[in-house]
Amino acid sequence: MRHLVLLVTAVLTLVACGSEPAPDSLPRGGFWSTAPVSDQDKIAVLGKVRAIDVCALLPRAALGTLGSVRDVENVHPNQCRLNIAVEGHLTGIDATWSTGVMFEGEPSMDGPVDDESMGDVRVLFNDEPAASADPQVRGACQAWARFVAGADLSFSVRAPQDACASAKALLRIALTEWRKEPAQGTSPDSDRAVITGADPCAVAPVLGVRVPAADQGVTTCKFSVDGRDAIVTYDYNEERTIIDDIPAFTVGSRQVYRFDTAQADLASLSAVVGPGLAPGPTDALLGRRVPTVSVTAHSAIAEKVMRETLPLVR
């Protein structure tokens, strides 16, 4: 009987090895599977990425097989994080994910990287295995997925033992939801503010500046004014990290604060542009998170850019 079992096992192994791999069920084709050719194409990709509700990429209803969702926080306009309670485990799964674009190159990742495909999306995994066999010990996994169109999705996951297995499960959900292009406000866990999904390069035409696609990000924009570089950033920040800086000037009803950098001629200006967002864990210490606009540049240029940017944010 034992010989029969071994024979059957060997036959099944041969069949499995000789058969074609099962096709990946992830969706393909369409806009996200088309490589951009021109700057105009790349800017169209940026616009679509900004319009996606990052928290909606992992709907609570789709996470039930991994555990029970404890909380979800919309950390930045293009970043969300969650914690999933796992039965029998003290801390469960922590995951943070961000949307972005990378039309050329790839991110630097520490340690060995596994290069895989999920549908027609290229995915890099950097696995940091759990330090011991104790089931309470968590491993860590960094994952970066890039669509053919140049949009990318990055994950940082801590999970019991094999964190990359959890990362892959989360990525399958997120990559499927991405193709549905969930609009800002789709997720009940997402924050909404005047900068949510907004274009940080909107001020460029006002300043008579053209910004190449390579200098445009989902929440940042880099350009040159009067021969000096300036960076505009739309973000969510804890209120005290802004208002504890030096009041500089006002634009309409908005107070602009100044932080002097280590470089004497470089300044960082910030302004709160809306009411507080959903309560978070740092509120007691740093105040509620608020939507902000920041400009970093030579002092005179930073003020010029900020004075033109704030009237556009409404």
Side-chain angles (χ1 to χ4, degrees):
M1 182 65 180
R2 182 170 178 271
H3 292 296
L4 179 60
V5 171
L6 291 173
L7 179 60
V8 171
T9 302
V11 171
L12 290 175
T13 301
L14 287 172
V15 171
C17 291
S19 62
E20 291 295 320
D24 197 312
S25 61
L26 285 167
R28 303 166 181 252
F31 180 86
W32 301 107
S33 298
T34 304
V37 176
S38 64
D39 260 19
Q40 186 176 359
D41 293 340
K42 294 175 181 178
I43 291 169
V45 172
L46 267 164
K48 276 184 166 284
V49 173
R50 290 190 190 110
I52 288 176
D53 183 331
V54 63
C55 294
L57 295 176
L58 289 181
R60 287 176 180 252
L63 300 170
T65 58
L66 295 172
S68 175
V69 179
R70 282 186 177 131
D71 54 75
V72 180
E73 184 183 7
N74 189 184
V75 188
H76 300 290
N78 65 324
Q79 185 181 83
C80 203
R81 68 181 171 213
L82 60 73
N83 174 259
I84 300 174
V86 177
E87 187 175 355
H89 197 272
L90 295 175
T91 48
I93 300 170
D94 286 310
T96 301
W97 65 102
S98 306
T99 58
V101 294
M102 186 173 284
F103 297 111
E104 295 180 2
E106 58 187 50
S108 57
M109 301 176 84
D110 296 330
V113 172
D114 291 329
D115 194 332
E116 301 182 19
S117 293
M118 298 180 73
D120 61 4
V121 177
R122 183 184 179 212
V123 187
L124 304 182
F125 291 98
N126 173 219
D127 189 11
E128 298 177 30
S132 79
D134 183 343
Q136 292 297 331
V137 177
R138 298 193 299 178
C141 184
Q142 305 294 321
W144 175 78
R146 182 185 182 276
F147 288 86
V148 176
D152 68 42
L153 182 61
S154 56
F155 268 84
S156 176
V157 178
R158 292 188 64 83
Q161 294 299 309
D162 188 352
C164 278
S166 295
K168 288 179 184 180
L170 293 170
L171 263 171
R172 289 191 68 84
I173 296 169
L175 293 178
T176 299
E177 294 297 321
W178 185 297
R179 301 275 183 171
K180 301 175 186 177
E181 300 181 16
Q184 295 288 355
T186 299
S187 169
D189 298 303
S190 293
D191 290 309
R192 295 295 301 276
V194 290
I195 60 167
T196 306
D199 180 1
C201 290
V203 70
V206 178
L207 296 166
V209 172
R210 181 183 174 277
V211 187
D215 292 330
Q216 300 189 37
V218 176
T219 61
T220 61
C221 186
K222 179 182 176 181
F223 48 82
S224 180
V225 178
D226 299 339
R228 296 181 181 271
D229 288 340
I231 299 175
V232 176
T233 304
Y234 289 177
D235 206 352
Y236 303 152
N237 288 289
E238 287 80 8
E239 188 173 32
R240 296 205 64 82
T241 65
I242 304 297
I243 66 174
D244 281 353
D245 288 336
I246 302 167
F249 55 89
T250 59
V251 178
S253 60
R254 289 166 171 163
Q255 177 67 55
V256 177
Y257 298 87
R258 177 189 178 104
F259 175 78
D260 292 316
T261 69
Q263 293 179 246
D265 63 343
L266 196 66
S268 180
L269 301 177
S270 298
V272 177
V273 293
L277 305 173
T282 61
D283 287 5
L285 180 64
L286 298 173
R288 288 185 75 166
R289 291 175 310 117
V290 290
T292 60
V293 170
S294 300
V295 178
T296 301
H298 179 275
S299 298
I301 298 300
E303 179 171 347
K304 178 179 181 178
V305 173
M306 182 64 91
R307 287 188 179 278
E308 295 292 355
T309 300
L310 286 181
L312 303 177
V313 181
R314 55 183 186 273

